[in-house]
Structures are given as structure tokens and as C-alpha cells.
Amino acid sequence: EDKVVQSPLSLVVHEGDTVTLNCSYEVTNFRSLLWYKQEKKAPTFLFMLTSSGIEKKSGRLSSILDKKELSSILNITATQTGDSAIYLCAGGTPISASYDKVIFGPGTSLSVIP
Amino acid sequence: GAGVSQTPSNKVTEKGKYVELRCDPISGHTALYWYRQSLGQGPEFLIYFQGTGAADDSGLPNDRFFAVRPEGSVSTLKIQRTERGDSAVYLCASSLGQYTGELFFGEGSRLTVL
């Protein structure tokens, strides 16, 4: 059965800290690793990773995939209170050439305190 | 519309009743997904539509759950004989006809079965 695991499940840090969120996956016919941010209700897309070792970066957020270890990390530097959210990791397995079935992990709940 | 729209936003029902949850995807998005999210967990895949047909319904928990998308746009998730364990947030997402990894989620329908 396809599975995505995340750690830690929750984390409390102070503003300005750097955090690393971990994700490991066991997904049949794995094609992509996805990160989403869920602040209130609707998850919003952060990154898609398909190749090992290539870092994707957006502002203070960055992520990298290790296909050998079946894992990924999401780094957030100089955290701000607005980074408080649940960070969801997901594995994508093809349903068709253009679409994936996306399997989510439980999420890491990040709280950034002033 | 500008985003994925889900109605109702909240639904309280009694055990044994029938409920329908509606999803109106972003115009032009051919792929539509239903997920279920319980408290403290990541979204759980239920069903995926490509156009009008259910390309993958492997996540539907049992035959009380059914979903349709008759004209390839709006989708309805139908739950018969609701049980307390069905209480969750039901999320709908849509995506473009090309693989980007990005799912656009609605705000969800919170279902409470008393």
C-alpha cells in the first residue's frame, strides 16, 4: 500500500529560526514528490520535485528530493509567524500520461512564535 | 469561477441520512479529485475524474460512497446511510490537462454526522 510519512508531526520554533521538515515515501511507480502548505482549509501548492539532488527554491523555502533514500526535505529559513501552517508532503503516481494520483502524508504542524 | 467552489461549507446530519456534497472546479480543468481529511491527518484520496468518467475510484471506502461528474464539470459526492465515522472535511481539487503536480483545492465541506 502506498504510504507517505512525515516527521516531526508538530514543531514549535521562534521567529528567525531555520526548520527542516522530513518526508519519506513508499509509492508504487513513483513519479513526483509534492509539498503543499495548509493554513486554514485549502492546501496550496509549494513545490514539485521529480529529479534527485536538484534543489527547488522559492524565497525562504527550499526543497530537495533523494530518490535513493525515498525521501525529501523542506527547509524554511528565517521563519516568520506567517509560516505557521501544516506542511503536507505527497507522492504522485501516474494515473495517465498527464495526471497523477496524489497520496498525502499526515503533515507537519509548524508553529512559529514571535 | 476564479477558484474551486464547494458547497455546502458545513453540513450537520444525523446518522443514517443521505448527503450530497458539490464541487465546482476551475473552468477548463479536466481533472477533478475528491479527498477526505480527518482531524490531524493529511488528505485521503477518494476518487479521481478525467472528464466525465471516474478514472480511479480506489479510495472510496465502501459502497455507501459514490461520486458523479455527468457533464465533465461539476461533481457531486454522495454518501448514503451516513455513519459517525464519515465526519470529516471533504476536499475537492481540480487541475489542468498537463502534468504540473499542482492541484487547486477548494475550501472543503465539513461534514458532521451526529
Side-chain angles (χ1 to χ4, degrees), chain B residues 16-36:
Chain B
K17 299 289 188 184
Y18 168 83
V19 299
E20 290 189 351
L21 307 175
R22 175 188 166 107
C23 173
D24 197 345
I26 293 173
S27 178
H29 281 196
T30 54
L32 186 146
Y33 302 76
W34 282 100
Y35 285 85
R36 175 170 73 174

Side-chain angles (χ1 to χ4, degrees), chain B residues 1-5 8 11 13-15 26 33 35-36 56 64 76-78 84 86-87 90-91 99 102 105:
Chain B
V4 177
S5 175
K11 175 72 177 178
T13 191
E14 293 179 344
K15 181 183 169 186
I26 293 173
Y33 302 76
Y35 285 85
R36 175 170 73 174
D56 186 334
R64 296 187 298 106
T76 304
L77 178 65
K78 309 181 180 195
R84 293 195 178 88
D86 299 335
S87 296
Y90 289 82
L91 292 166
Y99 185 64
E102 184 168 9
F105 281 87

Side-chain angles (χ1 to χ4, degrees), chain B residues 48-114:
Chain B
Y48 155 76
F49 286 91
Q50 172 55 40
T52 59
D56 186 334
D57 64 358
S58 61
L60 294 178
N62 51 58
D63 61 6
R64 296 187 298 106
F65 289 75
F66 189 70
V68 296
R69 195 185 185 199
E71 297 177 358
S73 179
V74 171
S75 176
T76 304
L77 178 65
K78 309 181 180 195
I79 311 173
Q80 298 178 318
R81 304 183 304 280
T82 51
E83 299 177 357
R84 293 195 178 88
D86 299 335
S87 296
V89 175
Y90 289 82
L91 292 166
C92 176
S94 67
S95 70
L96 290 166
Q98 56 193 21
Y99 185 64
T100 65
E102 184 168 9
L103 302 182
F104 295 84
F105 281 87
E107 295 280 284
S109 291
R110 179 178 295 280
L111 174 66
T112 303
V113 182
L114 301 177

Side-chain angles (χ1 to χ4, degrees), chain A residues 6-85:
Chain A
Q6 293 185 246
S7 65
L9 294 180
S10 67
L11 187 58
V12 180
V13 300
H14 287 95
E15 258 190 324
D17 288 351
T18 292
V19 298
T20 298
L21 309 183
N22 302 288
C23 174
S24 63
Y25 62 88
E26 292 176 26
V27 174
T28 309
N29 297 324
F30 172 84
R31 173 152 71 173
S32 60
L33 192 289
L34 307 162
W35 285 98
Y36 280 77
K37 179 181 182 182
Q38 186 173 28
E39 290 182 81
K40 288 181 182 177
K41 294 181 180 178
T44 54
F45 176 79
L46 293 174
F47 297 112
M48 180 177 78
L49 303 148
T50 55
S51 300
S52 258
I54 299 174
E55 184 183 56
K56 287 225 173 170
K57 200 169 169 66
S58 176
R60 297 176 293 101
L61 277 66
S62 63
S63 183
I64 198 160
L65 174 64
D66 185 339
K67 282 185 169 180
K68 186 177 175 186
E69 296 297 326
L70 306 183
S71 67
S72 174
I73 59 171
L74 175 69
N75 284 314
I76 309 174
T77 58
T79 51
Q80 302 172 356
T81 55
D83 295 327
S84 296

